[in-house]
Amino acid sequence: MSQDLYRDITDLAHDTPGWLQLVAELWTEAGLLLFGVLFIAGWWRARPADSRAMALAVLAPLGTAFGYVVSELLKSVVDEERPCRAVAGAAASIVECPPHGDWSFPSNHSAIAGAAAIALALAWRGIVWLTVPMALLMAFSRVFVGVHYPHDVAAGLVLGALAAVLFVKLLTGPARALADTMRMSRSAAATWLAGPGPAVADHAVSRRRREPMHRRG
């Protein structure tokens, strides 16, 4: 069933315009970079927030890395050949087929995307409308360009998401305590990385409100 669906998707891919094939090829990698940008934005957004928010923001990329490690460990156990090499009669993959030994199940790209989407959503709930479609598109693109079966990407998404949730839930407490410690540290680097927190940010706003208008000018 997965092989038939793989053939259907890769046949569809070859019938699409060249520019769309190029977009799909670029998105399989560029999507990872965009998730990286969102991690940085989430950390910056959490700097004036409470320590729990900072903990979740910092754990988001770490949980994503954990999802990748879990996926890579499972991949080394399953040893499933890539469909671009194993499926007879399938259209040629749009991108170069990975070499033998770079196994197919699960999809690491999809695991990273699934982990990043959920970890970011835990830290920044309003962004789930962006991260989940990004992850789904990235997973689909891996089949579209011909380097994964549909079941590879589905398993990768679920595995990455579950691994990220487990990682974040287990480490939120310790990460929150670390953020509190860094915010009370005398190290300028530590306090800058952890952010001022709500107390300092609120104090700065209150002080500005109390300043006479001529001093603000």
Side-chain angles (χ1 to χ4, degrees):
M1 178 178 176
S2 191
Q3 288 190 6
D4 291 340
L5 185 55
Y6 171 81
R7 290 192 188 94
D8 290 340
I9 293 174
T10 51
D11 286 344
L12 172 65
H14 278 271
D15 290 337
T16 58
W19 66 264
L20 184 57
Q21 296 178 21
L22 178 61
V23 168
E25 181 179 351
L26 293 175
W27 176 246
T28 63
E29 305 298 338
L32 299 178
L33 297 178
L34 183 53
F35 275 123
V37 172
L38 292 176
F39 287 141
I40 295 173
W43 160 75
W44 188 261
R45 175 178 176 272
R47 292 180 76 252
D50 60 33
S51 295
R52 183 176 185 276
M54 175 54 72
L56 292 174
V58 171
L59 289 175
L62 298 179
T64 300
F66 179 69
Y68 164 75
V69 171
V70 172
S71 174
E72 184 62 25
L73 289 175
L74 181 58
K75 184 190 289 280
S76 66
V77 172
V78 176
D79 292 358
E80 178 189 73
E81 188 59 271
R82 295 276 181 166
C84 43
R85 185 174 292 108
V87 178
S93 58
I94 292 175
V95 300
E96 183 179 356
C97 191
H100 178 74
D102 186 351
W103 306 116
S104 190
F105 180 89
S107 163
N108 281 345
H109 279 73
S110 300
I112 293 171
I118 298 305
L120 280 165
L122 290 173
W124 188 352
R125 295 188 183 278
I127 207 171
V128 67
W129 63 269
L130 175 62
T131 60
V132 169
M134 280 175 58
L136 293 175
L137 283 173
M138 183 174 293
F140 178 76
S141 73
R142 300 302 288 168
V143 183
F144 187 88
V145 300
V147 295
H148 277 293
Y149 292 103
H151 68 263
D152 294 338
V153 300
L157 285 171
V158 173
L159 182 66
L162 291 177
V165 168
L166 178 63
F167 184 91
V168 171
K169 293 296 184 183
L170 288 177
L171 294 182
T172 297
R176 184 176 184 175
L178 178 60
D180 283 332
T181 301
M182 291 177 67
R183 284 174 169 175
M184 292 184 293
S185 172
R186 294 183 179 181
S187 167
T191 54
W192 184 81
L193 286 171
V200 175
D202 291 346
H203 175 72
V205 171
S206 298
R207 185 176 61 184
R208 283 188 56 84
R209 287 176 177 173
R210 291 195 302 268
E211 286 180 351
M213 291 300 295
H214 70 275
R215 290 185 60 187
R216 296 186 191 181

